[in-house]
Amino acid sequence: VGGSREFLEGLREGGKTGSNSLASSSPSSYDKEREDWVRECVKWKAEVPFRWRPAPGGLLKTQDAIDALYRAFRKQPAEVQKDAIVTTGVGNHQMMSSQFFRWTRPRQMLTSGSLGVMGVGLPYALGAQVACPKSLVLLVDGDSSFNMTLQELKTIMNLKLPVKIAVMNDGRCQMVWIWQKLFFEDHYISTFSPNPDYETLVKAYGIEPFKCDSRENLHEVCEKFLSHPGPAFCDFRVEPDICLPMVQPGKALDDMLLHPDQANMRMEGLAPS
């Protein structure tokens, strides 16, 4: 870190000598600091894994479904895993996909981060499948996000794309609903979403339908769904839940809303800059 003049002069000198004097001044100390930080993060992940409270009666939550999808994904052949691409819409399912899926290379997970564009998951998946026709492309979507661009099912039919579409069907915009509950005094508007019969819908476009509403057969359904040779759609009937941890509006990163079992945890330490 330094002034722009110092930085530009360093670049100029680096161009003359074939090295960047700023970047090469103490690489070993930075690399060591970064290694220590990554090691600390790995330790935290092992000690404090993402958790959720199971729904009663064996019913599904979005966390159950995405965790099971990832476990089924890890049973795919190594070459399939290496080339696979995961896309998401925007909402709770997006956050949970980032929590439970572990990607291993750049652009293996395509998602609309800070922009938060609902509906992008299906177009992302179609583009990825066209660009990488031999890859497994999995869309993890929420029902409200999926409903915004479901007309692209026609593109799947036209181009015969073997995209796998997993929709978390809880009948509402759950992330927005949570914000309305926590920060807007329970003033709910435009967050409840009666959905079409997805099985009938996707069948009309020649897509194989799957459905799961219980933890009892969850892993079996996920494996069959991901292994289907053509385009496939799985309707996961899930119970609404909050995605934790959450950074609340106006709060700092060390003041997150945590799972009740982690509420007394102290967060400290800085990433290398």
Side-chain angles (χ1 to χ4, degrees), residues 62 66-67 69-70 86-89 91-103 109 111 139-141 168 243:
T62 297
I66 295 177
D67 181 55
L69 280 170
Y70 180 65
V86 178
T87 77
T88 80
N92 264 9
H93 71 278
Q94 175 190 28
M95 307 297 110
M96 294 169 182
S97 296
S98 297
Q99 290 177 342
F100 293 106
F101 264 86
R102 293 286 171 262
W103 55 93
M109 175 171 276
T111 190
L139 162 62
V140 181
D141 217 343
M168 307 298 127
C243 181

Side-chain angles (χ1 to χ4, degrees), residues 34-52:
R34 185 177 181 184
E35 287 176 7
D36 290 344
W37 172 249
V38 171
R39 193 176 298 111
E40 184 72 12
C41 290
V42 170
K43 180 170 74 75
W44 286 338
K45 287 180 179 180
E47 293 175 353
V48 193
F50 292 112
R51 62 185 67 189
W52 66 96

Side-chain angles (χ1 to χ4, degrees), residues 65 68-69 72 217-227 234 236:
L69 280 170
N217 62 341
L218 174 60
H219 294 279
E220 178 186 357
V221 170
C222 287
E223 291 178 19
K224 288 181 178 179
F225 163 64
L226 288 183
S227 299
C234 193
F236 289 96

